[in-house]
């Protein structure tokens, strides 16, 4: 199981050597484990489907399901663009692309049912969505679908090679479908039970494909708990090593310089708490151990 998670990302279906090189260089995703721990930075609510007759300019991102009727090219030179008529039972809008003009009609043939996501705008007096996300309604049923669409950090270089948040979500879903085992637990069973933590496998799945908001919060809590737990454990390990292996300078007695200052020069009376701390410091200085103290 551990060896499987260390498999190079290029062997995951849909990735390949070229995309693997980009994912490694731009996002630090080199193996399956890296992909599982490449967490979304936000989520978009994809629970609602709008009808075309409900759309208005300047609405936030909307999700529609309908059919691409036809494609046609417009403009010339640098202003050349690809447009498509998209319709449902309530009306028709225009979709526009300035990039991907050559491959989009072949990838998403006219006459089929699609789900699109994007921000409506107004162009030429008509509702228009520029560079919408588009997905075959048929293929959507084949992949892991979440009501809250995960959004992942990408770079301009990744986007130029069509490695988008949607692509990262898709290959993450492919990875979960490929695994024939649950991700091994990293925390002791008693600790998981004591703090009512979600299992690691379920937390990783929910953080990528949330089914409900409350489960997403539980997944986040589990992953944050684990990270802070191991940070604290590592700090304790360093402290234990320091206490047992590192020897500090030993100051066996208090010198005359300190005594003269304390009894003759100090212009105020110390509080009992301050006196106690000074005694503790004197004890530490005579112990031979390193002292870490915040005053």
């Amino acid at each position: 199981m551990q060896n499987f998670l260390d498999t190079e990302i290029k062997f995951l279906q849909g990735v390949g050597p070229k995309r693997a090189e980009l994912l490694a260089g731009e996002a630090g995703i080199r193996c399956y484990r890296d992909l599982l721990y490449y967490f979304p930075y936000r989520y978009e609510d994809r629970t609602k489907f709008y009808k075309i007759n409900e759309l208005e300019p300047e609405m936030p991102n909307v999700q529609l399901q309908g059919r691409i009727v036809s494609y046609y090219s417009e403009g010339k030179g640098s202003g050349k663009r690809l447009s498509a008529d998209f319709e449902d039972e309530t009306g028709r809008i225009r979709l526009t692309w300035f990039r991907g003009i050559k491959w989009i009609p072949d990838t998403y043939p006219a006459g089929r049912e699609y789900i699109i996501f994007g921000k409506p705008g107004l162009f030429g007096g008509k509702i228009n969505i520029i560079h919408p996300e588009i997905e075959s309604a048929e293929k959507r049923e084949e992949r892991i679908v979440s009501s809250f669409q995960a959004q992942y950090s990408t770079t301009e270089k990744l986007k130029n090679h069509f490695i988008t948040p949607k692509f990262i979500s898709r290959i993450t879903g492919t990875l979960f479908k490929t695994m024939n085992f649950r991700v091994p637990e990293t925390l002791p069973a008693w600790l998981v039970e004591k703090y009512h933590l979600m299992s690691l496998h379920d937390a990783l799945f929910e953080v990528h494909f949330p089914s409900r908001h409350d489960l997403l919060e539980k997944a986040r809590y589990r992953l944050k708990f684990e990270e802070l737990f191991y940070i604290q454990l590592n700090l304790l390990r360093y402290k234990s090593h320091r206490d047992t292996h590192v020897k500090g300078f030993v100051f066996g007695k208090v010198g005359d310089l300190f005594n003269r200052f304390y009894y003759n020069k100090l212009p105020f009376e110390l509080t009992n708490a301050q006196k106690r701390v000074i005694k503790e410091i004197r004890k530490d200085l005579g112990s031979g151990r390193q002292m870490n103290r915040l005053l």
Side-chain angles (χ1 to χ4, degrees):
M1 291 183 289
Q2 295 293 340
N3 291 340
F4 177 83
L5 294 179
D6 293 329
T7 304
E8 292 181 54
I9 197 67
K10 67 181 179 181
F11 295 111
L12 184 63
Q13 182 182 349
V15 180
K18 290 184 178 179
R19 284 174 173 161
E21 186 177 349
L22 287 166
L23 286 168
E26 296 294 307
I29 301 174
R30 295 177 174 81
C31 64
Y32 291 177
R33 189 189 310 278
D34 294 336
L35 182 60
L36 286 180
Y37 282 87
Y38 194 74
F39 298 140
Y41 69 93
R42 67 181 179 90
Y43 300 86
E44 290 179 344
D45 187 352
R46 300 286 180 98
T47 55
K48 180 174 175 58
F49 281 86
Y50 288 84
K51 297 297 183 182
I52 287 177
N53 64 357
E54 296 178 308
L55 301 185
E56 294 180 6
E58 308 308 322
M59 286 178 72
N61 288 332
V62 297
Q63 186 171 229
L64 305 167
Q65 183 164 351
R67 186 173 66 94
I68 290 180
V69 180
S70 61
Y71 288 101
Y72 46 93
S73 296
E74 297 180 299
K76 295 181 180 180
S78 59
K80 188 175 182 180
R81 59 192 181 274
L82 175 69
S83 295
D85 288 330
F86 181 85
E87 68 175 14
D88 64 12
E89 66 273 16
T90 68
R92 180 178 292 194
I93 61 170
R94 178 181 295 177
L95 310 179
T96 302
W97 295 269
F98 293 93
R99 300 190 304 270
I101 292 175
K102 294 182 179 179
W103 61 266
I104 286 175
D106 294 331
T107 307
Y108 306 107
R112 296 183 183 177
E113 194 86 2
Y114 296 100
I115 294 170
I116 66 168
F117 184 82
K119 190 177 187 310
L122 199 62
F123 182 78
K126 296 181 179 180
I127 296 290
N128 180 282
I129 298 180
I130 297 175
H131 285 286
E133 290 184 23
I134 183 169
E135 181 179 23
S136 165
E138 183 180 344
K139 288 186 177 180
R140 179 184 173 89
E141 297 177 358
E142 299 173 359
R143 68 176 180 86
I144 298 174
V145 179
S146 171
S147 300
F148 301 96
Q149 183 68 48
Q151 297 298 305
Y152 300 87
S153 296
T154 56
T155 65
E156 197 64 30
K157 191 173 182 180
L158 289 175
K159 291 176 183 176
N160 289 339
H161 289 81
F162 305 102
I163 299 177
T164 61
K166 181 180 174 183
F167 172 82
I168 295 174
S169 179
R170 186 169 71 246
I171 62 173
T172 304
T174 300
L175 176 56
F176 273 107
K177 285 184 175 181
T178 302
M179 294 191 302
N180 58 358
F181 62 91
R182 293 177 62 82
V183 177
E185 188 56 69
T186 54
L187 295 175
W190 66 266
L191 192 63
V192 173
E193 183 178 354
K194 179 179 179 180
Y195 292 101
H196 308 289
L197 300 174
M198 183 179 283
S199 72
L200 178 58
H201 182 94
D202 291 343
L204 289 171
F205 185 85
E206 285 291 335
V207 84
H208 289 290
F209 304 101
S211 53
R212 298 200 316 260
H213 187 268
D214 61 322
L215 293 179
L216 172 59
E217 289 306 309
K218 287 182 178 180
R220 284 172 159 173
Y221 181 84
R222 156 63 205 245
L223 296 169
K224 290 176 182 178
F225 182 98
E226 179 173 328
E227 183 176 0
L228 292 174
F229 174 77
Y230 282 114
I231 288 174
Q232 189 175 32
L233 206 60
N234 213 26
L235 290 173
L236 290 172
R237 182 173 66 87
Y238 282 128
K239 181 179 184 300
S240 175
H241 180 270
R242 186 176 63 244
D243 290 344
T244 55
H245 293 82
V246 179
K247 298 298 181 183
F249 292 103
V250 176
F251 296 88
K253 65 176 183 177
V254 178
D256 293 336
L257 187 62
F258 174 82
N259 284 328
R260 285 199 303 270
F261 175 80
Y262 183 81
Y263 291 108
N264 302 324
K265 301 292 184 181
L266 197 63
F268 54 85
E269 179 73 16
L270 295 181
T271 66
N272 290 332
Q274 289 171 328
K275 291 177 181 179
R276 174 177 53 79
V277 170
I278 287 179
K279 289 180 180 179
E280 291 175 357
I281 292 174
R282 288 176 59 181
K283 183 178 179 181
D284 285 345
L285 290 172
S287 69
R289 294 182 301 173
Q290 284 188 331
M291 178 178 63
N292 291 309
R293 187 179 293 276
L294 179 64
L295 295 178

